[in-house]
Amino acid sequence: MPKSLLRKFFAYGVIAIALVLTFYPVAWMLSASLKESGEIFTTPVFSSGSAGLGNYVSAFAEYPFFLYLLNSVFASLVSVLVTVLLGALAGYSFAKFRYGLSTVFWIVVLVSLMIPLEAVVIPLFLEVHSFGWTNTYAGLVLPTAFNVVGIFIFRQAFVALPDDYIDAARVDGAGELRILFSVILPMVLPTVVVVSVLTFNLNWNSYLWPLVVTSDDGLRTLPLGMAAFQAGYNTQYGEVMAVSVFGTLPTAVFFLALQRYFVEGTISTGVK
Amino acid sequence: MPGVILKDVRKSFGKHETIHGVSVEIGDGEFVTLVGPSGCGKSTVLRMIAGLETVTAGSISINGKEVNGIAPKDRDIAMVFQSYALYPHMTVAENMGFSLKMRGLPKAEIDAAVKKTAGILGLEPYLARYPKALSGGQRQRVAMGRAIVRNPAVFLFDEPLSNLDAKLRVQMRTEIKDLHHRLKTTTVYVTHDQIEAMTMAEKIVVLNDGRIEQVGTPLELYDTPVNRFVAGFIGSPSMNFLPCRRDDAGGLTSPTGQKLTDTAPEGPKDQPLILGIRPENITLQPGGIPCEVKLVEPTGAETMLSLELSGVAVTAVMKARVKARPGETIHIGFEPDSWHVFDEDSGLRIPTAGS
Ligand SMILES: Nc1ncnc2c1ncn2[C@@H]1O[C@H](COP(=O)(O)OP(=O)(O)OP(=O)(O)O)[C@@H](O)[C@H]1O
Ligand SMILES: [Mg+2]
């Protein structure tokens, strides 16, 4: 076999293994969601079950998953918006301006990246509680809406942009905000997508904060709802899987819609 | 009223001063080139005029108004960048209309202005295209269109042609000059290419290491350079420099004893001097100064000779066809009054009888 063919063979082999590892659990989840509880462990993974959409119907009858979905989508979208907006603003500042305290601020950003939510969740809760925000949408969404990594990724992208564009826009009469939103941001759309997808995912999967700050059933997000459901119906694997499929779908859709830009963006920004 | 006036302008980046007091007056409607070697501070001066860089000391005024603390957008200037800096996500028309949009002009007015400018530059067929679908020359034109469309008080160009190939560069040079004749807008044009500076400018400012060496018309700089730097910088191929001293006969002689000229400017005999002679002022002269031929490069219209005169490399450009071969010795002379004498230590030119 010629060397190049061998290399190709090897590369495709690796990709195939990665694909199987990634998709097998998804396939298992999907197939299990269509089976009766008794069938899941007794029939082959890729056989069709006899439950049809029954698991979905019964799970949704027991818990208001559509409401949880709406809560999750709302919280995640707000988070994306806040992160893109503030991340771009701060990233622009860190990338293109030098002033007295900019290094200090940058260190603050770096340090805050290293603090996990778990470490600050109690003081944060007390703070939010003092605002009277427990069990409100504001309390659910805002305290964790901003993803500090956004500053990082935007700064990276802006540093790579030649200053001439900014200078040209300044001479053309644009103010700094206008430059950021009309000139610079459109030039780094793939980066906007990367930040959006990362932030959406992070928020979509967030569990600890919603758990701490909400007790009202109407404010639950999908992960909370799923956990509660699992706790109550832990033997009903078919229904649990049906709910899982439902919870995975939006991120998959969100990602697939932006996939092209995401790939472009991860290549150009060097982030994952 | 003068267009742009710089008064003892200085610029420091941190502790390091890069522009050491530049003063120059650019008349209304004048085309001035700012020329100098790489890193001498041309872009910095231009960016200070644009307001993109602060002025550390001194003052800049545009049309009689001091602009030191004024933002670029309020200076009534337009700038063409070396990289063009066309906004990649906007069409040609949007690129050209951006500044007018920022000024809040109504759409119909913007469209009309863009169309008119596109007409001047031959850009009409490309108005709906994005920059990435244009050739280098077309992009250059759009960059100029973006500046022209605003009808500013001053155009600032920073090496706008350096990304074009040689032929297009010559063509655009003529076009920019032409445009200036038509629009009569005060223009400051930065280049490191002295031919570009010579052919385009009414006035040239020669900058070196953050200082102005000389200001003058192209021919003034060519005929009476104030010092060795300007003499060597202006003209192509550059002027030859030969170390020499005054001799007893009142002429100049090289350190090896080769007689170079019959006359010399007055002065002490032990003063180290430099004789400057342009390649095009060297002629073949039987019985003249003997030189060894190193290289002969005929270009058709003229012949370029690389010679060695008393151990110093000398370039000569002859109108006549020269049949010399490498290794041979030829005899040369200097056209009368064409040579210059410089003080070796200060580099300043010492006026001779002729000039
Ligand atoms: N933002 C800056 N910070 C620090 N030093 C700078 C900055 N901009 C320019 N300089 C320095 O100032 C000097 C002049 O730079 P400038 O860009 O004006 O040169 P130039 O004449 O335009 O050169 P070129 O022909 O290469 O474009 C250089 O030594 C450069 O390193
Ligand atoms: Mg420059």
Side-chain angles (χ1 to χ4, degrees), chain B residues 5 25 30 95 98 151 177 193 210 229 249 253 270 305 311 315-316:
Chain B
I5 300 177
E25 296 198 4
E30 211 169 10
N95 262 285
F98 187 69
N151 192 22
K177 230 171 121 175
D193 178 352
F229 176 83
T253 298
D270 56 350
L305 297 172
T315 308

Side-chain angles (χ1 to χ4, degrees), chain A:
Chain A
M1 227 188 301
K3 210 170 160 195
S4 68
L5 205 67
L6 198 72
R7 192 180 297 162
K8 222 174 195 175
F9 189 77
F10 184 73
Y12 278 112
V14 170
I15 293 172
I17 292 170
L19 267 179
V20 169
L21 288 179
T22 314
F23 279 106
Y24 186 78
V26 178
W28 194 89
M29 174 174 81
L30 201 64
S31 104
S33 76
L34 300 171
K35 290 176 183 176
E36 299 288 354
S37 288
E39 294 173 331
I40 293 176
F41 298 107
T42 55
T43 57
V45 173
F46 292 106
S47 63
S48 60
S50 57
L53 291 177
N55 287 326
Y56 290 84
V57 174
S58 55
F60 276 67
E62 286 145 23
Y63 272 74
F65 281 111
F66 272 113
L67 178 65
Y68 300 162
L69 176 83
L70 278 182
N71 287 342
S72 272
V73 167
F74 176 71
S76 298
L77 285 185
V78 169
S79 175
V80 166
L81 241 135
V82 167
T83 301
V84 168
L85 202 74
L86 297 187
L89 279 167
Y92 182 41
S93 163
F94 283 123
K96 298 293 183 190
F97 296 87
R98 287 282 160 279
Y99 46 92
L101 289 175
S102 57
T103 320
V104 175
F105 289 157
W106 184 239
I107 291 169
V108 170
V109 169
L110 287 179
V111 168
S112 73
L113 262 177
M114 297 173 214
I115 303 173
L117 177 63
E118 285 79 358
V120 295
V121 71
I122 292 170
L124 187 63
F125 174 78
L126 293 176
E127 186 99 346
V128 168
H129 185 72
S130 74
F131 293 170
W133 276 8
T134 36
N135 268 325
T136 63
Y137 275 108
L140 172 69
V141 174
L142 293 181
T144 56
F146 184 57
N147 177 6
V148 185
V149 177
I151 297 182
F152 234 79
I153 301 175
F154 274 119
R155 190 192 98 105
Q156 186 92 347
F158 293 155
V159 162
L161 274 189
D163 289 345
D164 276 1
Y165 290 115
I166 298 168
D167 288 338
R170 278 182 194 145
V171 170
D172 272 349
E176 296 301 327
L177 282 183
R178 181 67 103 134
I179 292 174
L180 175 59
F181 291 109
S182 306
V183 176
I184 295 191
L185 221 44
M187 289 169 64
V188 297
L189 273 189
T191 302
V192 176
V193 170
V194 168
V195 171
S196 301
V197 170
L198 286 181
T199 306
F200 189 91
N201 257 335
L202 192 75
N203 207 277
W204 190 259
N205 295 325
S206 90
Y207 180 78
L208 180 62
W209 181 251
L211 181 70
V212 168
V213 84
T214 64
S215 51
D216 191 338
D217 189 39
L219 283 172
R220 274 184 186 163
T221 54
L222 262 184
L224 286 187
M226 279 160 63
F229 182 77
Q230 213 165 337
Y233 299 80
N234 56 0
T235 49
Q236 305 288 16
Y237 278 106
E239 291 185 5
V240 171
M241 286 308 130
V243 171
S244 299
V245 168
F246 184 70
T248 315
L249 225 55
T251 39
V253 169
F254 191 72
F255 178 76
L256 285 177
L258 299 172
Q259 183 199 27
R260 197 168 64 84
Y261 295 103
F262 187 80
V263 172
E264 210 176 294
T266 47
I267 291 168
S268 67
T269 57
V271 296
K272 184 176 64 76

